[in-house]
Amino acid sequence: MNGELEAARHQVAEAGRRMVADGLVLGTAGNVSVRVGELVAISPSSIPYHLVAADDVCVVDLAGAPLADLDTPPPSSETPMHLAIYADTGAAAVVHHHGLSSTAVSTVVDELPPLHYYALQLGGPTRVAKYATFGTDELARSVHDALEDRTAALMQNHGAVAYGDNLDRAYDRARLLEWLCALHIQAHQLGSPRVLTAAELADVTRHKAERAAR
């Protein structure tokens, strides 16, 4: 096994422990993956994150078949969702979590209203993927559709998912989505929050482009 793939397995194991520390998961919920060429290192199924070592991290090909010469537990039940994301995006890493705020908001909205311009860091207002049983191809398709032109999505009555061109960026986006959902909850406790308009979001995008061009 090449060094890049071994490094990816270490990254996946460490990201799982980080999700627990950040309060994004309980028990064995959620999963993380990193793509290396035509292979994907992904969290094992049903093992508490504090017990997952790099050697426990599974490796599958882009069709979901486990690497034959590795003796690991079964891969995450959400492997089909991760592979669907890799198939149609430039993703190099995917993070799926069950953060309390993200999960709560996923039960009450079809799209997360942009209360803050940080929503643009995820491509725009975050869509909510229609509910489907975990680990199914139906859920993978639902998440795929919600991610069109976005780098993160909520999963109805389930949690959140984000991807990036490296694991740090995918993880940062997953945490940002949890923050935006917490903002949504707290703002509604105070009253009826003001939602940014499409024109205001476009102004932010234009302003950032002008600053970058200087």
Side-chain angles (χ1 to χ4, degrees), residues 35-181:
R35 180 175 178 174
V36 179
E38 301 301 301
L39 297 174
V40 175
I42 189 165
S43 308
S45 178
S46 304
I47 301 179
Y49 288 107
H50 72 281
L51 297 178
V52 175
D55 287 346
D56 298 314
V57 173
C58 308
V59 179
V60 299
D61 64 22
L62 296 178
L67 205 60
D69 58 349
L70 283 185
D71 182 17
T72 65
S76 168
S77 61
E78 298 294 6
T79 297
M81 178 183 72
H82 287 247
L83 297 180
I85 294 171
Y86 289 123
D88 276 356
T89 69
V94 176
V95 174
H96 164 48
H97 68 72
H98 291 188
L100 182 58
S101 295
S102 294
T103 305
V105 170
S106 79
T107 69
V108 297
V109 302
D110 295 322
E111 182 177 86
L112 181 62
L115 303 186
H116 197 284
Y117 57 83
Y118 282 174
L120 292 171
Q121 295 184 29
L122 304 178
T126 303
R127 303 186 189 98
V128 180
K130 186 177 179 181
Y131 180 80
T133 303
F134 75 92
T136 61
D137 290 337
E138 183 183 2
L139 178 60
R141 289 192 296 271
S142 181
V143 169
H144 168 273
D145 292 344
L147 284 172
E148 184 178 358
D149 299 322
R150 300 290 189 270
T151 54
L154 291 172
M155 300 161 64
Q156 193 172 52
N157 296 85
H158 188 150
V161 63
Y163 71 85
D165 56 5
N166 58 57
L167 182 53
D168 284 341
R169 189 160 287 116
Y171 194 92
D172 287 346
R173 287 170 174 163
R175 287 193 67 191
L176 174 58
L177 181 50
E178 177 73 358
W179 183 88
L180 289 169
C181 288

